[in-house]
Amino acid sequence: MEKPRMPHLDKAIGIPKEHINEQQEKFEDFLTNQFTEFGSEKIENYELEKTQEDIELINFAQNAVDDYLEKYNRVKKVMIPLENVHVLKEESIKEMTYGRIVGGMHSTIDGNVLIEKPSDKVNFSLKIFHELMHAKSFTAIQVTHGGIKKESRIIPYRVGFSVTSRDGNKIYFEDVNEAIVGILTERFFKEYIEKNYLFKDELQKMKEKNTPIKLSRQREIQKGLEYIKELHELNKDVYSLEDVANIFIEAGVNGNLLKVARLIEDTFGKGSFR
């Protein structure tokens, strides 16, 4: 059976026009192979063998992600297989990224998800959900045009709501993208974790010990929420705060920013979105 082309990506753009016929297929083959042949040697010093409970929690979070994506009309169904979800020792990602990222991350190009394993199931599941939501939302890759003395690179173009410039030097709406995933992660906690028997005893113990629920990227989430709340304040005669958040969520999930652009331009004037 033939492998699906780029199972983790919606688009790959940027092949120079004079080469597109001969190179586009090769490029897509390369990206497909990145997803299916990820080299575990890159993280062999950090990776833990998944327990049966780990697998249960990964499947639980992945099913919840799929439920939300279906609710927000995600067209492409992205399945991240268990072998592409890597469970790591605590502090691993912080060490690997020299402090730039902590807790969890996903690779846009190869479609793999890396999750540090904390001591409790609740925060572990929140990390899994957060990274899988990023990995399974709209994703496009681009080839930058090298130019004089610069090599072309394969980098993200669209990841959820965020947009990387064609030269790769600027990322737009990254905070908004984190806010969208943060809102969904909070909903996942309230609508799935709090209502599931898997977490009942642990949630009670966490409550008794005043153990914090750790939702990642809080600075970016709060900054992104400021945009959403401002738009709601200026349109509250038409939209609830949840309505505005849902417009942003649907845009991030599907990669279609048109509704958000209309809302912003109706609020702030023509050309304000750009």
Side-chain angles (χ1 to χ4, degrees):
M1 186 175 176
E2 188 179 352
K3 290 185 293 188
R5 299 192 67 75
M6 302 192 305
H8 59 306
L9 298 172
D10 291 82
K11 281 185 179 181
I13 67 169
I15 297 289
K17 288 182 180 179
E18 63 270 23
H19 301 301
I20 196 161
N21 291 333
E22 60 186 85
Q23 295 294 338
Q24 186 73 27
E25 188 171 342
K26 290 180 182 178
F27 182 44
E28 292 184 5
D29 282 341
F30 168 76
L31 293 168
T32 300
N33 290 333
Q34 287 290 106
F35 181 65
T36 56
E37 299 175 9
F38 177 77
S40 60
E41 68 277 0
K42 298 175 185 177
I43 55 171
E44 62 183 4
N45 293 329
Y46 306 100
E47 188 161 16
L48 300 170
E49 185 175 352
K50 296 182 190 74
T51 65
Q52 195 56 46
E53 182 179 76
D54 293 341
I55 292 170
E56 186 176 11
L57 294 174
I58 290 166
N59 289 334
F60 174 75
Q62 179 140 233
N63 288 336
V65 169
D66 291 342
D67 287 346
Y68 284 116
L69 293 176
E70 184 176 359
K71 177 180 177 180
Y72 291 103
N73 305 310
R74 176 78 164 114
V75 175
K76 181 161 184 164
K77 308 298 183 186
V78 176
M79 182 64 196
I80 307 292
L82 274 173
E83 57 265 30
N84 287 54
V85 180
H86 303 273
V87 179
L88 311 181
K89 303 170 188 174
E90 283 200 273
E91 302 291 315
S92 296
I93 294 173
K94 184 177 181 180
E95 184 177 328
M96 290 162 63
T97 63
Y98 304 101
R100 189 172 58 87
I101 302 172
V102 297
M105 61 184 287
H106 84 286
S107 171
T108 305
I109 294 170
D110 63 41
N112 281 268
V113 171
L114 310 181
I115 308 290
E116 291 178 3
K117 186 176 181 178
S119 57
D120 64 273
K121 293 184 290 189
V122 172
N123 285 307
F124 184 46
S125 299
L126 288 169
K127 289 180 182 181
I128 297 166
F129 178 91
H130 185 105
E131 298 306 329
L132 284 175
M133 182 58 73
H134 277 306
K136 299 178 78 153
S137 293
F138 183 90
T139 305
I141 290 293
Q142 63 177 320
V143 179
T144 62
H145 295 167
I148 299 172
K149 295 184 180 180
K150 291 183 180 179
E151 292 184 359
S152 295
R153 295 178 295 148
I154 301 172
I155 62 170
Y157 174 51
R158 292 285 310 280
V159 180
F161 201 92
S162 67
V163 183
T164 302
S165 62
R166 289 293 286 119
D167 60 10
N169 293 330
K170 182 76 174 174
I171 302 176
Y172 301 96
F173 306 125
E174 190 171 18
D175 294 335
V176 177
N177 193 46
E178 286 298 335
I180 288 168
V181 175
I183 290 168
L184 289 171
T185 305
E186 289 177 356
R187 291 183 186 177
F188 168 64
F189 176 74
K190 293 174 183 175
E191 296 170 1
Y192 285 81
I193 288 179
E194 285 192 328
K195 296 179 179 180
N196 194 283
Y197 73 94
L198 283 170
F199 307 96
K200 184 178 179 181
D201 293 341
E202 187 170 272
L203 284 170
Q204 183 60 38
K205 289 177 184 176
M206 292 176 77
K207 186 176 181 181
E208 290 168 1
K209 295 180 180 179
N210 204 25
T211 304
I213 303 298
K214 298 174 184 176
L215 296 169
S216 59
R217 306 292 292 270
Q218 284 298 296
R219 184 190 66 80
E220 293 92 337
I221 288 169
Q222 291 306 315
K223 190 171 180 183
L225 281 173
E226 288 175 13
Y227 307 145
I228 293 171
K229 288 176 180 176
E230 182 181 5
L231 277 166
H232 167 247
E233 277 299 311
L234 296 170
N235 293 277
K236 58 186 176 183
D237 54 329
V238 180
Y239 299 110
S240 68
L241 180 59
E242 185 175 1
D243 290 336
V244 176
N246 285 342
I247 290 171
F248 276 81
I249 291 168
E250 188 164 353
V253 161
N254 295 297
N256 185 352
L257 307 187
L258 186 58
K259 285 185 181 178
V260 172
R262 283 177 181 160
L263 176 59
I264 289 173
E265 299 210 343
D266 287 347
T267 306
F268 298 108
K270 189 172 181 180
S272 53
F273 179 72
R274 183 172 291 277

